[in-house]
Amino acid sequence: MTNPPPKPNHDRHVGQDIPPPAFVSLGMVVLDELQFPHLPTLFDVCGGSGAYATLGARLTVSVDEANTVACIVLSGDDFPESVLDTLRSWHVRLERQTYPGQKSTRGLLKYEDDTFGRKSFRYLTTPLSPRVRHIKDSSLLHSQTFHILARPDDLLVHISELSLHRVQSHNDGRPMVIWEPLPSDCKPVHLDAHLQALQQVDVFSPNHLELMSLFEGAGDLSRPFDRLLIENYAKRCLDAKAPGSANAGFGVIVRAGEHGCLIQSASQGCRWLLAYYGEHSTRVVDPTGAGNTFLGAFGNMFAKTGDLHEAAIFGTVAASFALEQFGLPNFNVVDGRDTWNGDTFGERLGRYRP
């Protein structure tokens, strides 16, 4: 379905007089309905890859730098002002575009047991998905880094449109692209398409289940975690990168939940990082959005440092804030410091570092 022209509003940043941000996610902001076996249903919980990736990037900067992170919200008439207020409270650059007469993107997240691990998801409304055309007249077009969750063919369209509109705006610089593959498309029949599409990105980051599904198809989720197998599949993705294509610092980052994350690159080899919280931590409430949060923090820091390992440390710490509750963490400013669930990112980063 083609999205109708948006209605301008005060949250939209148009024109090139505003400096471009450092990080933009082209993921969606979704209003989730959370259903549980033995708990009351929660409504209008802010989620989606765009919201969580924005959270991750925002966690890595101070409030003085918050406007270097941008968030795109495509909404219908029914989008709750309370959710917008939450995003505004982070002081990020909010690009909101409203579609009169339409419903906002809503999803149903149904938990199958009381461990909150097994769950299913479906959209309740037609998704309003950010495209490059939504930011072509905005400073967001010239962001240094883009996080994109997409199928291979859709990814290539995003990249082509970014290049076209940036050149038309007299910017021939190439942005950094962090690619998160669409889970439902991670199947062996699409493996070649993924290996071809990663030629155009700087970082390819499936989670370990998506990576295995890409090479093997849907498998037994109860089988033991196999680090060597994950390393071998990540190496095959790394080896598929053609010399000279896109950025020479290309890396494969495999997010593996409680098992940590794998970093594979030609320059840094193969390295694992531990998860912030172990497998049986009582602090972990819901893993939803943790991977997106990781990539937001990772992308923002990789653009700044060029160091995959350092960026993955920031991503790991950022993901911990997404795990501690349903939806987004609680944000406050205490004594001039940003706190998330009562903790600062810097303090948690210090506790995590070796």
Side-chain angles (χ1 to χ4, degrees):
M1 180 177 179
T2 302
N3 296 338
K7 179 178 70 176
N9 59 70
H10 68 278
D11 281 318
R12 194 175 185 202
H13 297 265
V14 179
Q16 303 308 316
D17 55 329
I18 302 172
F23 179 89
V24 172
S25 173
L26 289 176
M28 288 187 286
V29 174
V30 181
L31 299 171
D32 285 329
E33 176 181 328
L34 308 186
Q35 291 185 359
F36 310 96
H38 304 106
L39 293 173
T41 298
L42 301 178
F43 296 94
D44 290 343
V45 177
C46 185
S49 63
Y52 280 108
T54 300
L55 167 66
R58 172 62 178 88
L59 280 162
T60 66
V61 299
S62 68
V63 68
D64 294 334
E65 300 176 295
N67 67 353
T68 65
V69 176
C71 181
I72 303 170
V73 178
L74 304 186
S75 68
D77 298 321
D78 59 336
F79 202 89
E81 195 67 23
S82 60
V83 175
L84 290 172
D85 287 343
T86 295
L87 298 174
R88 292 186 189 115
S89 74
W90 298 353
H91 299 285
V92 296
R93 195 175 304 184
L94 194 62
E95 175 91 1
R96 182 193 177 196
Q97 300 181 22
T98 305
Y99 295 90
Q102 286 203 38
K103 297 290 186 181
S104 300
T105 305
R106 293 182 178 273
L108 172 62
L109 196 58
K110 190 171 184 178
Y111 294 83
E112 299 177 13
D113 54 44
D114 292 327
T115 68
F116 310 123
R118 293 177 59 83
K119 59 195 173 191
S120 61
F121 176 83
R122 66 181 176 89
Y123 288 109
L124 299 176
T125 61
T126 301
L128 298 174
S129 181
R131 310 294 303 186
V132 176
R133 67 175 180 271
H134 295 118
I135 59 171
K136 69 183 182 67
D137 298 320
S138 164
S139 62
L140 274 62
L141 176 68
H142 303 281
S143 175
Q144 183 179 2
T145 306
F146 285 90
H147 160 257
I148 302 176
L149 170 65
R151 299 187 303 267
D153 56 342
D154 207 26
L155 170 80
L156 296 179
V157 172
H158 277 302
I159 292 174
S160 176
E161 292 180 350
L162 276 173
S163 177
L164 172 64
H165 290 298
R166 284 165 72 104
V167 168
Q168 289 177 344
S169 299
H170 309 291
N171 179 358
D172 57 1
R174 182 184 175 278
M176 179 175 289
V177 176
I178 312 297
W179 179 27
E180 182 178 359
L182 191 70
S184 61
D185 220 50
C186 289
K187 302 174 182 177
V189 68
H190 302 306
L191 175 60
D192 288 344
H194 281 78
L195 297 181
Q196 286 297 317
L198 63 76
Q199 309 299 324
Q200 304 301 318
V201 305
D202 299 271
V203 173
F204 175 55
S205 184
N207 67 34
H208 69 291
L209 297 176
E210 293 159 356
L211 182 66
M212 289 194 297
S213 182
L214 191 57
F215 282 91
E216 301 177 356
D220 180 6
L221 298 180
S222 65
R223 69 178 178 176
F225 181 77
D226 189 336
R227 274 194 175 194
L228 183 58
L229 183 65
I230 299 301
E231 291 171 11
N232 288 339
Y233 287 153
K235 184 65 161 53
R236 287 178 62 178
C237 294
L238 184 66
D239 290 344
K241 183 76 167 180
S245 61
N247 193 298
F250 173 75
V252 178
I253 307 297
V254 183
R255 296 161 286 115
E258 67 270 22
H259 306 290
C261 73
L262 169 66
I263 308 160
Q264 281 262 27
S265 71
S267 61
Q268 297 187 4
C270 173
R271 305 179 70 174
W272 282 89
L273 284 177
L274 294 174
Y276 189 87
Y277 288 128
E279 183 175 2
H280 302 295
S281 173
T282 58
R283 293 293 299 274
V284 177
V285 174
D286 182 19
T288 302
N292 310 131
T293 305
F294 176 104
L295 288 179
F298 171 91
N300 206 34
M301 294 309 300
F302 185 44
K304 291 181 178 180
T305 67
D307 187 319
L308 290 164
H309 181 258
E310 180 70 4
I313 289 175
F314 276 73
T316 298
V317 175
S320 71
F321 289 93
L323 295 166
E324 297 173 336
Q325 67 286 310
F326 297 106
L328 302 173
N330 182 43
F331 172 72
N332 282 293
V333 178
V334 179
D335 296 329
R337 300 185 306 164
D338 293 353
T339 65
W340 307 84
N341 291 344
D343 208 353
T344 71
F345 184 85
E347 289 168 343
R348 196 168 287 193
L349 180 65
R351 292 195 292 269
Y352 178 78
R353 283 191 184 277

